[in-house]
Amino acid sequence: MQSLISRPWLWAWLAAIAVFALSIALSGAAQAGGLLYAALSFGAFAAIVGIGQMLVITLGPGNIDLSIPAVMTLAGTLALKAMDGAPGTALLGLGVALLVGLGAGAANFALIRLLRLPPIIATLAASLLYQSLAIWSNRGLRIKPPAALADFATGRTLGVPNVALIGVLLALVVWWLLERGLWGRWLLATGQNPRAARLAGVPVERVRASAYLSVALLAGLAGYLLASFSGGAALNMGQQYLLLSIAVVVIGGTSIAGGFSNVPGVWGAALFMFLVVSMLNAYGFDAGARMMLTGVIIIAIVVAANARRRRT
Amino acid sequence: MNTPQPVEAVVALRGVHKQFGAVRAIDGIDLALAPGECVGLVGHNGAGKSTLVNLINGTLKPSQGEIDSHVTRGGRGSAIRSVFQELSLCPNLSAAENLRIAHPTLKGLGWRRRAGAEIRTSLDQVFPGHGIDTDARVDTLSIAQRQMIEIAIGFAPRGGQARLVILDEPTSSLDAGIAEQLLAHVERFCAEGGTVVFISHMLGEIFRVASRIVVMQDGRVVAERESAGFDRDSLVDAMGHVAQHAPSGEQRRHAEGSAPAGAASETVIEDAAGLSARRGEIVGLAGLAGHGQAEALAKLYFAGTSGWRAPRKPRMAFVAGDRGRDGVLPLWSILRNLSLSVLPAGARRGAVDRRAEATLGREWQQRIGIRSDDLGNPITSLSGGNQQKVLFARALASSAPIVVMDDPMRGVDVGTKQEVYALIRAEADAGRTFLWYSTETEEVCQCDRVFVFRDGKISAELSGAEISEERILAASFEMQEN
């Protein structure tokens, strides 16, 4: 029991469950299934980019990727353009999206490593470039995804949204890498003390490069899925994922100081974030009040989780 | 010699116990510290010395028993000062600013100037001719200079007067000359009525300054005598380790009647600065602390390894002396800290072989004597010396043919040191090469060949019979004479 309480992911899940219960209390139990389904669908996108952001934040203070929204937009836009709505091109689109992610990740890391820019500046500046590319290639046209892909992205398997299944699968892979894999050990060691890790034989440059590549790849994938899910790419489609990707990492119990990751917490926090907004919607708050309350709730849960951790 | 009874004790402990969970760190201690005495406190790593220090200075409350004191104890205006072996300065502040942290009444305009004056006065008193820039950020200074500042802050008036100064391994990163200055200052301080508790694994220093020696083992005082009542062997016996005078490199070679190890074997390291090492050789780096030895080793290590590749058979392994900066990963367990460098060799398809990892942990725990009942405990639960053993195990467990050691014996007790010397010697005979920077002449004399550093350059290369304290000191100081 003691070990359960000290689990840092517990708080995100408790919060998600509490908000879910509050929403059901208002709208009635009949809505529970629908709400859960929506939370899983929309939460999946936040979870996928959140897991990427978590890997980078785990690298230690100063490491963050602010180019996630722009990479999502660019990947979604270019993938849809490549597919052009033609049937049987889903894999081509996926390939394009992942290549965009890979390219963006490599560019981000090159800026950080070669020009020695702080990651916060490098990724923010690079994101302007990615966003411009997206604007330039989009030019206001709205291409629909191939029908089969759109059906898959909005569809379900065994009652669970397909995007959520992908999100859970990715979470499991990353969880395994961190808990059982050599790469995870290296990442966590680098995040605690890069100098000590390097002196212990950890290839810290490779670890950093792979973390920045991973987050961009995941952002590319999320952009591809989101564009397919919502029937086309929009220039502001990634916007809300800047705050979301960071919030789910922090609420999920990953250490901002680095060296400690928490995969289950990211998923709990992603569900929580969606449920909060939908609950406030259901209670009839307008957009301003909704944003304010969301901010307050995020702060409250981070404070609560931190206070708890300090005691244990 | 002091007899503590007639004068009122600065601090008196009566029947003090301290428990951390199930661990009895201090198990019934009576101890009185009188004005004007210097108490040498010795014991193994994990004997409870650091906990006792924290009880005396008021950081910890005893679980049982009483602690009386007639001076301000605890808090920032304390007349009881502690200087720890783990450096505790803020690295992003200057020496003067660090003094201010411990000196709450220093306020108002110009506090920086006054703090600077106070720390300079204190440094001048303890370490005449120290040459430290008190306005430089602490992280730009060498570890020895940081230690000197910490000691100077301990002795500084700080709006009151230091009555009792506890020095926990104060000389572990200082070279002989600077350490001597400190010992002289301790004697002066005690002659003026101050009290010092001096914790050291260097028994020579204990005999040099202590008027009384207290020996601890497993949280208890097992022997307490005036220092004249001990000699080196009886003191080591009292600590519970059999004294083993390991033969020095020189004696060993004579006994074997052979040429210095590896004289005929191939050179495995050769750098532009002139540092070289052959297979199976133990190469020492000596000279005054902070004269470029640590930098030379770090440079060598970084040049010889890559930040991109982690081969199953690494070329070099590193043993850190500055544990916090270069070695320990504080969020991790003992086992994870120990196994880090070995993981690539045992990994299958990118997965850590956790069974092999656990076996390795148990093996090295026994081999090097890490004091913990569970290797799953956090590394930070270990005493400094035991953390150091973990770092040793991390490097020696790897298959690296070259082991680079940056003053690796800081805070390691006498018995363990002898064991580690033997281990290093055995590994060298098996063909491993060691590069060993040390601030202690005793360790340098274990080496087959020694490079003496001065002002960041090699000033002398000594080998075999040439390795002696005099030769090393001569090579360390030559420049100053000119």
Side-chain angles (χ1 to χ4, degrees), chain A residues 109 113 175-210 255 257-261, chain B residues 298 301-303 305-310 316-320 323-332 335-337 339-344 347-354 357 394:
Chain A
F109 185 71
R113 170 112 176 98
W175 178 85
W176 186 89
L177 284 173
L178 288 171
E179 291 293 315
R180 300 278 189 269
L182 182 58
W183 183 78
R185 289 285 181 94
W186 283 345
L187 178 74
L188 298 174
T190 306
Q192 291 175 67
N193 183 341
R195 185 177 161 91
R198 174 75 169 79
L199 289 171
V202 173
V204 291
E205 294 306 335
R206 188 162 110 203
V207 168
R208 292 177 67 200
S210 56
S255 167
F260 182 84
S261 278
Chain B
Y301 180 87
F302 286 129
T305 57
S306 160
W308 290 94
R309 282 172 298 109
M316 292 188 199
F318 190 90
V319 184
R323 289 187 287 274
R325 191 188 66 176
D326 295 345
V328 164
L329 299 166
L331 300 181
W332 269 0
L335 182 60
R336 282 192 168 203
N337 265 286
S339 66
L340 183 59
S341 300
V342 201
L343 293 179
R348 282 193 307 259
R349 294 166 189 266
V352 171
D353 185 345
R354 296 197 300 163
E357 186 187 18
R394 180 196 283 173

Side-chain angles (χ1 to χ4, degrees), chain B residues 80-104:
Chain B
I80 299 179
R81 314 289 178 71
S82 321
V83 178
F84 289 105
Q85 92 194 49
E86 297 299 330
L87 299 166
S88 52
L89 299 175
C90 300
N92 57 334
L93 302 179
S94 71
E97 288 160 346
N98 269 291
L99 173 79
R100 167 65 184 78
I101 293 172
H103 187 343

Side-chain angles (χ1 to χ4, degrees), chain A residues 205-298:
Chain A
E205 294 306 335
R206 188 162 110 203
V207 168
R208 292 177 67 200
S210 56
Y212 278 98
L213 284 179
S214 303
V215 64
L217 265 177
L218 288 169
L221 176 68
Y224 168 76
L225 288 175
L226 185 60
S228 311
F229 179 83
S230 48
L235 286 176
N236 62 353
M237 63 185 258
Q239 208 176 20
Q240 59 166 322
Y241 290 95
L242 182 57
L243 173 71
L244 261 182
S245 70
I246 299 167
V248 297
V249 173
V250 178
I251 295 174
T254 292
S255 167
I256 288 288
F260 182 84
S261 278
N262 195 320
V263 178
V266 169
W267 249 108
L271 295 178
F272 166 76
M273 290 297 290
F274 173 80
L275 289 167
V276 165
V277 175
S278 78
M279 175 185 74
L280 295 177
N281 255 332
Y283 276 89
F285 289 101
D286 63 19
R290 225 159 50 214
M291 281 171 84
M292 218 164 72
L293 278 169
T294 312
V296 170
I297 290 170
I298 292 177

Side-chain angles (χ1 to χ4, degrees), chain A residues 47-131:
Chain A
I48 293 171
V49 291
I51 286 167
Q53 191 71 278
M54 176 193 75
L55 295 175
V56 174
I57 286 179
T58 300
L59 279 176
N63 284 293
I64 198 159
D65 187 350
L66 299 183
S67 70
I68 286 177
V71 174
M72 288 174 75
T73 308
L74 184 62
T77 307
L78 291 186
L80 288 196
K81 212 172 167 187
M83 294 185 288
D84 202 18
T89 53
L91 283 179
L92 169 75
L94 177 65
V96 169
L98 293 182
L99 273 180
V100 168
L102 212 56
N108 285 343
F109 185 71
L111 287 175
I112 293 165
R113 170 112 176 98
L114 300 179
L115 301 184
R116 301 194 177 279
L117 293 178
I120 195 167
I121 304 289
T123 56
L124 194 60
S127 80
L128 294 178
L129 178 76
Y130 308 147
Q131 188 72 25

